[in-house]
Each structure stands twice: as C-alpha cells, then as structure tokens.
C-alpha cells in the first residue's frame, strides 16, 4: 500500500522546516519496522537554493520504500489540485514562530496557516507540529517524529468536512457572531 503525503505550500525555510522533514525521511529504517508500507512525499511548492540542493541530495540516496517529488518551477493550479486530491494526508511542517515585516508571528495564535484552508477545501487530515493550537478534529498534532505518526495514522478515518463547513452553517455562525458584536 502506497501512502501519499503532500506538503503544500511554497518551500520556505522561514516558515517551513524541510530540513527536519528530510532528516525524518532519512532516519526511517525498513528493517527496524519503521516502514510497513511505501510512501511518496510530494513537496508541493517551488524548491530553490538550499532547499532544492537538499532535496536533490536526498533523492540520490533515498530508500526504495520512500520516493519524493518536488518542483523547480511555480506549481500550476491544476497540478496543485491534482496532488491535493491524490493526497492521503497533508504534512504541514511549519515553524511555529516566524516574522512578518519584522513582527513576531506565532502560528495558531497570531497567525493562521493557509494549510487549514487547504485541508478543508480538499477534505484531508493535516499533521502539524504539537505546538500548533487548533480545535479542529482534522488537525492532528504530531509528536517528535511526525513521519512515524503519519505512517501509523489510520488512513480510512473520516471527517465530515461537507456538513462541518457548509455555507449554510458558516453563514449562521457568522450571523451569530456579528449579532453578538452589535
């Protein structure tokens, strides 16, 4: 069984920890039982510079149980949509703290990840670092080794994105919030 793990977003060390992703991919040992099924990890953003070199180096030495795909050009919307649809899960290796115009931002507190919108739009469970604060049940916070948590995740688990995020329900909640302000 092949597990398709998609990491959406532009490759950016300021906001994502791709070094840790590649380290975890390289640390998996099939003979130790770490890999019980093959996995494909898709870096769904434009890779360049240091990140591109790291991905190319990893690709040369990768395990036969793990394959990666990355892009050196901006990912066209139809390709992005196709991979997001094919994904079994999303892996969102965000760095909890970042800066925007010299201001400190904290994901889950002062900043929301666009990956939450991706998870909702495509109906996917998403794995975030354990420090990411979210009340959504489709957001899974992982332990020290995200990849092991992802590979042991029950892929047939379901979440009713359709009813939870229906226009009618969102409009009713928005109306309630607006009325409470008035």
């Amino acid at each position: 069984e092949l597990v398709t793990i998609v990491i959406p977003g532009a490759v950016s060390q300021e906001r994502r920890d791709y070094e840790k992703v590649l380290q975890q991919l390289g640390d998996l040992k099939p003979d130790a039982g770490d890999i019980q099924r093959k996995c494909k990890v898709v870096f769904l953003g434009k890779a360049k510079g240091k990140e591109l070199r790291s991905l190319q180096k990893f690709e040369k030495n990768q395990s036969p149980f793990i394959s990666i795909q990355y892009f050196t050009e901006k990912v066209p919307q139809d390709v992005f949509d196709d991979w997001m649809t094919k994904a079994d899960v999303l892996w969102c290796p965000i760095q909890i703290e970042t800066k925007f115009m010299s201001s400190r931002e904290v994901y889950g507190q002062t900043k929301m990840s666009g990956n939450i919108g991706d998870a909702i739009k495509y109906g996917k469970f998403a794995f975030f670092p354990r420090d990411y604060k979210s009340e959504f049940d489709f957001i899974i916070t992982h332990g020290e080794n995200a990849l092991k948590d992802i590979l042991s995740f029950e892929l047939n688990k379901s979440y009713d994105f359709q009813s939870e995020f229906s226009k009618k329900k969102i409009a009713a909640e928005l109306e309630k919030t607006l009325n409470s302000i008035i």
Side-chain angles (χ1 to χ4, degrees):
E1 183 183 359
L2 176 69
V3 179
T4 303
I5 303 166
V6 172
I7 302 174
V11 175
S12 169
Q13 279 303 109
E14 290 82 38
R15 297 193 181 179
R16 306 217 180 275
D17 196 348
Y18 289 98
E19 203 170 295
K20 194 170 200 171
V21 168
L22 292 174
Q23 176 196 348
Q24 288 181 18
L25 286 169
D27 287 348
L28 286 180
K29 304 288 183 249
D31 53 345
D34 291 342
I35 304 175
Q36 296 168 356
R37 50 191 173 191
K38 291 184 178 187
C39 68
K40 179 175 190 79
V41 180
V42 181
F43 294 80
L44 201 50
K46 180 181 176 180
K48 60 183 178 182
K50 180 177 131 185
E51 292 81 22
L52 177 58
R53 288 188 297 278
S54 294
L55 288 164
Q56 290 168 332
K57 181 179 175 186
F58 179 85
E59 190 175 38
K60 289 178 184 170
N61 302 313
Q62 70 190 10
S63 158
F65 294 94
I66 300 169
S67 65
I68 65 168
Q69 181 165 345
Y70 55 89
F71 299 85
T72 57
E73 299 296 326
K74 184 179 185 302
V75 179
Q77 189 62 49
D78 62 325
V79 173
F80 184 89
D81 291 339
D82 186 47
W83 276 113
M84 292 296 284
T85 302
K86 288 179 187 176
D88 289 307
V89 295
L90 305 181
W91 186 1
C92 309
I94 60 172
Q95 295 193 24
I96 294 299
E97 287 193 27
T98 187
K99 286 191 177 197
F100 179 73
M101 299 184 86
S102 317
S103 296
R104 181 178 166 262
E105 297 268 9
V106 179
Y107 278 102
Q109 292 177 9
T110 61
K111 183 174 189 61
M112 182 174 153
S113 172
N115 293 144
I116 292 183
D118 292 334
I120 293 168
K121 180 178 179 180
Y122 296 98
K124 304 295 177 181
F125 282 91
F127 284 77
F128 280 80
R130 78 173 126 221
D131 295 336
Y132 188 82
K133 307 290 185 233
S134 175
E135 294 179 19
F136 294 120
D137 292 337
F138 60 89
I139 300 297
I140 313 295
T141 53
H142 58 73
E144 189 60 36
N145 191 313
L147 191 55
K148 285 185 182 181
D149 289 351
I150 291 169
L151 291 175
S152 66
F153 182 69
E154 187 182 320
L155 292 178
N156 61 358
K157 191 173 180 176
S158 66
Y159 182 86
D160 192 356
F161 288 91
Q162 296 268 315
S163 66
E164 190 66 30
F165 297 100
S166 71
K167 286 183 181 181
K168 185 177 181 177
K169 182 175 181 179
I170 298 298
E173 288 177 11
L174 179 58
E175 183 178 1
K176 182 180 172 183
T177 301
L178 290 172
N179 283 333
S180 72
I181 294 171
I182 298 175

